[in-house]
């Protein structure tokens, strides 16, 4: 009899443990050895019986990116705060590093789908793959919030029809959206910062603004637009410009440094301005500028985008001419808010835009 009771008790314990474990489709991290903050299990011990837990898969194009590091920390912080408010782990976030590889990212999204995530936030590696990723999520009926890398355009033809297939897929689907900042604006602001200098950027006074353009990466419309619109703003202000070098630095500090060093060796004092598509590369360019014995503000100008903390300091102490605030917190908060709206079955917009802001010396 005693033995029977013990057996019964053991059985009951097994059942209650299984219930706590959260079932078979609980997500696990697929983070390729990164420092993803994956949930320990599918259960959420603190969850009251009536509290629902939503599983959210977040794929970041590359963890090793200055700006996206801030952004993913902001996402985590947002859901941590929501969990705090709820008093239990209401949102379980699984962050994965796509290691700058589209095939890896596609696998990760497929894994999220198999794991039956309730929503997916994706920072695409390649925007040319957006249609494929959108379709995967739409077929699985999982809400998708794309962030940071704008899928190919929502430009319209003369009849007002959307030209691009991806944009159509996004606009046609009530559970897909893009949250970002309009990179045209950041480029324009960079150009305006230079155009509003007393010498309008013509540091060596030869009548032409000769510049070096350090480009993010060709897959990212942020890079394309910043490159195009910074110079457009100068030209729109009636300033004559000459491109000395335009080279891809993949948003990376070390590559920015090399490109700037080579340009400074080749063109020396001819260079008036170094435009960088982001602050990470501007930090690299700055190192090469000082190594070449040049002084920002005195014989050369340097602008970036993002307003990383150290770059804002540099702007304030004059070692950078200006930067443009890329609002990681604003974008992350919006992306999380929309994700929650989607989880609650609310109607959303397909595009959300967060403003940039100029950062110049006060
Ligand atoms: C940021 C870059 C970042 C890139 C990643 C851009 O918006 O300005 O710093 O490397 O996003 O996609």
């Amino acid at each position: 009899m005693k033995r029977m009771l013990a057996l019964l008790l053991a059985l009951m314990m097994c059942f209650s443990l299984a219930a706590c474990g959260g079932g078979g489709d609980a997500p696990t991290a697929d983070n390729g050895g990164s420092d993803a903050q994956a949930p320990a299990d599918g259960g959420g011990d603190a969850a009251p019986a009536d509290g629902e837990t939503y599983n959210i898969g977040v794929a970041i194009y590359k963890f090793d990116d200055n700006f996206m590091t801030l952004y993913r920390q902001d996402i985590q912080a947002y859901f941590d705060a929501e969990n705090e408010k709820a008093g239990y782990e209401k949102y379980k976030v699984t962050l994965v590093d796509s290691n700058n590889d589209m095939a890896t990212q596609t696998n990760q999204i497929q894994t999220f789908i198999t794991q039956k995530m309730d929503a997916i936030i994706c920072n695409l590696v390649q925007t040319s793959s957006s249609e494929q990723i959108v379709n995967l999520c739409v077929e699985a009926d999982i809400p998708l919030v794309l962030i940071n890398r704008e899928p190919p355009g929502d430009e319209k033809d003369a009849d007002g029809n959307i030209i691009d297939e991806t944009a159509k897929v996004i606009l046609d689907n009530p559970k897909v959206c893009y949250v970002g900042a309009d990179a045209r604006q950041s480029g324009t602001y960079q150009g305006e910062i230079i155009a509003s200098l007393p010498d309008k950027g013509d540091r060596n006074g030869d009548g032409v603004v000769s510049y070096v353009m350090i480009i993010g990466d060709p897959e990212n419309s942020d890079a394309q637009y910043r490159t195009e619109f910074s110079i457009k703003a100068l030209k729109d202000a009636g300033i004559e410009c000459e491109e000395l070098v335009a080279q891809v630095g993949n948003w990376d500090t070390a590559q920015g440094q090399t490109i700037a060093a080579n340009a400074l060796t080749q063109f020396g004092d001819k260079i008036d301005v170094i435009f960088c598509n982001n602050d990470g590369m501007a930090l690299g360019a700055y190192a090469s500028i000082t190594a070449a014995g040049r002084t920002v503000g005195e014989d050369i100008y340097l602008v970036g985008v993002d307003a990383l903390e150290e770059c804002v300091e540099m702007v304030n102490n004059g070692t950078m001419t200006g930067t443009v605030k890329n609002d990681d917190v604003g974008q992350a908060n919006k992306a999380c808010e929309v994700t929650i709206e989607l989880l609650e079955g609310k109607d959303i917009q397909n595009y959300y835009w967060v403003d940039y802001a100029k950062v110049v010396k006060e």
Side-chain angles (χ1 to χ4, degrees):
M1 185 63 191
K2 248 189 189 170
R3 225 193 259 165
M4 279 276 285
L5 262 175
L7 203 75
L8 251 172
L9 256 168
L11 267 172
M12 277 166 70
M13 270 176 71
C14 273
F15 275 125
S16 60
L17 273 177
C20 267
D25 56 16
T28 53
D30 169 25
N31 56 30
S34 62
D35 58 332
Q37 307 185 19
D41 65 37
D45 292 342
D50 58 346
E52 196 165 348
T53 291
Y54 296 102
N55 293 300
I56 302 167
V58 184
I60 300 294
Y61 96 98
K62 171 168 100 121
F63 275 12
D64 178 19
D65 174 290
N66 290 329
F67 179 74
M68 290 315 300
T69 297
L70 297 173
Y71 201 136
R72 77 183 140 93
Q73 288 166 351
D74 300 333
I75 291 178
Q76 186 69 58
Y78 186 98
F79 287 118
D80 284 350
E82 286 298 313
N83 290 343
E84 187 101 346
K85 267 194 250 162
Y88 73 100
E89 195 172 27
K90 186 168 180 184
Y91 303 104
K92 196 181 285 286
V93 179
T94 302
L95 270 160
V96 297
D97 182 355
S98 304
N99 285 314
N100 207 15
D101 183 67
M102 193 60 229
T104 301
Q105 187 167 68
T106 306
N107 279 334
Q108 289 167 333
I109 299 295
Q110 274 160 341
T111 304
F112 283 164
I113 291 172
T114 318
Q115 291 169 331
K116 299 195 167 48
M117 288 288 177
D118 297 299
I120 293 174
I121 299 177
C122 182
N123 170 211
L124 286 162
V125 173
Q126 282 175 4
T127 50
S128 49
S129 298
S130 23
E131 202 181 338
Q132 186 200 356
I133 297 297
V134 168
N135 285 337
L136 279 175
C137 295
V138 169
E139 272 161 34
D141 196 29
I142 298 178
L144 172 67
V145 178
L146 295 167
I147 56 166
N148 172 255
R149 298 183 152 197
E150 187 184 338
D154 56 352
E155 279 98 14
K156 299 185 177 92
D157 64 18
D159 300 324
N161 300 314
I162 300 287
I163 300 166
D164 190 87
E165 286 304 319
T166 309
K168 273 189 223 156
V169 178
I170 292 178
L171 291 168
D172 283 351
N173 200 292
K175 291 187 189 170
V176 180
C177 69
Y178 173 71
V179 176
D182 182 356
R184 299 170 192 87
Q185 189 185 39
S186 53
T188 302
Y189 284 171
Q190 282 190 306
E192 286 177 0
I193 289 171
I194 298 299
S196 64
L197 294 168
D199 60 6
K200 297 184 172 16
D202 182 14
R203 194 59 283 207
N204 58 22
D206 64 359
V208 181
V209 172
S210 307
Y211 65 88
V212 172
M213 181 67 70
I214 306 186
I215 302 169
D217 75 290
E219 260 291 334
N220 191 327
S221 57
D222 282 8
Q224 295 156 20
Y225 287 142
R226 287 175 193 165
T227 300
E228 182 187 340
F229 282 76
S230 52
I231 303 308
K232 184 177 182 302
L234 284 182
K235 291 186 175 158
D236 287 351
I239 297 166
E240 197 183 324
C241 306
E242 180 195 13
E243 180 183 282
L244 299 174
V245 175
Q247 229 176 304
V248 170
N250 290 308
W251 307 111
D252 181 70
T253 301
Q255 292 185 43
Q257 183 167 355
T258 307
I259 295 168
N262 291 340
L264 284 158
T265 307
Q266 193 181 349
F267 293 102
D269 291 345
K270 206 169 181 321
I271 304 173
D272 292 301
V273 186
I274 300 188
F275 284 96
C276 299
N277 281 175
N278 78 343
D279 281 352
M281 296 187 296
L283 287 170
Y286 177 74
S288 295
I289 289 171
T290 42
R294 307 281 295 273
T295 309
V296 173
E298 279 177 26
D299 54 28
I300 195 163
Y301 296 121
L302 173 67
V303 281
V305 176
D306 283 342
L308 297 179
E309 216 173 289
E310 54 204 306
C311 293
V312 173
E313 267 171 41
M314 287 169 70
V315 170
N316 285 330
N317 69 29
T319 49
M320 244 176 100
T321 313
T323 183
V324 179
K325 171 83 185 152
N326 192 2
D327 186 0
D328 54 289
V329 175
Q331 291 172 70
N333 288 358
K334 182 45 85 184
C336 296
E337 254 172 64
V338 180
T339 303
I340 291 176
E341 282 171 12
L342 283 162
L343 290 170
E344 290 172 350
K346 295 196 178 134
D347 288 343
I348 55 143
Q349 292 166 212
N350 291 114
Y351 283 88
Y352 291 91
W353 301 108
V354 175
D355 270 334
Y356 284 101
K358 280 181 206 169
V359 179
V360 288
K361 198 172 178 177
E362 286 149 11

